[in-house]
């Protein structure tokens, strides 16, 4: 039997993940998760409100870390740079959870109910970041756009990190935000060709 609350919580998470992968999310009950973890079902509900939330544990800690980092960022940074700084400072939280992250993403991708919850959680996190930017004086429209764009880049970096563990999460974050900046500076080849053709046709005498 787990000897502490933290140990019981960890065992419940691991048991749930194992059962979701073995049987599928929909076919797994909270009683089965509790039994696999060596606790009773009442203990499960002391830690998690339902079987979906087992896979989203730690969201509150991540949200608090990110919004605090946004609040404490230097005044001379632009919104996206503030968010990148926040994501990089939260790397320790995410690195420590890596063994759980890869199988968790796989289970979520395979389960419609979990994908829906994941989208809702992402929207909530994005809004929390936008509100933190607003408190710094970033205009409402720009705060929302920066938060949604920054969170998308962060999510992209997380997936790359899972697929390529040879590079640190920090390296993937820097790459994602570099790519984001490049997208706003370059013209895609097909678009450049179309623009050149249009200019050539518009020249008098051609």
């Amino acid at each position: 039997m787990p000897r502490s609350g933290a140990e019981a919580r960890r065992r419940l998470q691991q048991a749930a993940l194992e059962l979701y992968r073995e049987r599928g999310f929909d076919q797994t009950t909270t009683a089965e998760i509790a039994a696999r973890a060596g606790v009773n079902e009442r203990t499960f509900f002391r830690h998690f409100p339902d079987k979906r939330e087992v896979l989203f544990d730690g969201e509150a800690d991540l949200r608090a870390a990110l919004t605090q980092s946004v609040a404490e960022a230097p005044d001379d940074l632009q919104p996206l740079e503030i968010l990148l700084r926040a994501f990089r400072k939260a790397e320790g939280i995410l690195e420590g959870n890596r063994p759980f992250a890869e199988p968790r993403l796989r289970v979520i991708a395979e389960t419609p109910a979990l994908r829906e919850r994941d989208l809702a959680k992402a929207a909530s996190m994005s809004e929390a970041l936008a509100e933190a930017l607003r408190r710094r004086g970033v205009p409402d429209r720009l705060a929302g756009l920066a938060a949604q764009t920054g969170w998308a880049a962060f999510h992209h970096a997380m997936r790359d990190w899972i697929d390529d563990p040879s590079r640190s999460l920090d390296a993937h974050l820097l790459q994602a935000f570099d790519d984001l900046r490049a997208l706003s500076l370059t013209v895609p080849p097909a678009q450049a060709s179309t623009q050149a053709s249009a200019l050539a046709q518009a020249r008098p005498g051609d």
Side-chain angles (χ1 to χ4, degrees), residues 85-96:
R85 177 181 182 273
F87 295 140
R88 295 182 71 189
K89 286 177 70 69
E91 181 181 11
I93 296 174
L94 300 166
E95 287 277 8

Side-chain angles (χ1 to χ4, degrees), residues 10 17 19-20 26 28 31-32 42-43 55 66 71-72 113 119 122 124-125 142 151 158 168 174 191 193 204 206:
R10 181 190 60 77
L17 191 58
L19 288 167
Y20 295 163
D26 293 329
T28 300
E32 290 169 338
R42 185 170 57 184
T43 299
L55 295 179
L66 291 175
E72 296 173 350
L119 289 172
S124 176
M125 189 72 78
L142 294 180
W151 185 258
M158 282 287 294
S168 67
L174 292 172
Q191 183 178 336
S193 177
D206 288 352

Side-chain angles (χ1 to χ4, degrees), residues 151-171:
W151 185 258
F154 167 72
H155 197 258
H156 185 78
M158 282 287 294
R159 288 192 173 276
D160 283 349
W161 175 56
I162 294 298
D163 292 339
D164 179 16
S166 66
R167 301 175 68 201
S168 67
L169 175 57
D170 191 64

Side-chain angles (χ1 to χ4, degrees), residues 67 70-71 79 82-83 123-148:
T67 54
V70 169
I82 292 171
L83 293 176
S124 176
M125 189 72 78
S126 178
E127 178 53 34
L129 291 171
E131 181 58 28
L133 289 172
R134 293 184 193 107
R135 292 197 191 101
R136 291 179 57 91
V138 178
D140 182 69
R141 182 176 60 86
L142 294 180
L145 180 59
Q148 291 175 27

Side-chain angles (χ1 to χ4, degrees), residues 30-41:
T30 55
E32 290 169 338
I33 295 170
R36 174 72 66 93
V39 300
N40 58 42
E41 193 172 14

Side-chain angles (χ1 to χ4, degrees), residues 10-85:
R10 181 190 60 77
R11 288 173 64 91
L12 284 165
Q13 289 176 303
Q14 187 60 41
L17 191 58
E18 290 172 1
L19 288 167
Y20 295 163
R21 296 182 69 184
E22 292 170 12
R23 306 180 187 179
F25 173 81
D26 293 329
Q27 288 71 41
T28 300
T29 68
T30 55
E32 290 169 338
I33 295 170
R36 174 72 66 93
V39 300
N40 58 42
E41 193 172 14
R42 185 170 57 184
T43 299
F44 176 94
F45 287 111
R46 279 204 298 267
H47 290 279
F48 304 103
D50 58 52
K51 66 178 186 176
R52 291 177 299 180
E53 286 303 307
V54 179
L55 295 179
F56 296 96
D57 188 48
E59 181 202 9
D61 290 340
L62 179 60
R63 181 197 302 257
L66 291 175
T67 54
Q68 180 178 351
S69 183
V70 169
E72 296 173 350
D75 293 337
D76 59 346
L77 294 182
Q78 295 299 313
L80 285 178
E81 298 304 318
I82 292 171
L83 293 176
L84 173 58
R85 177 181 182 273

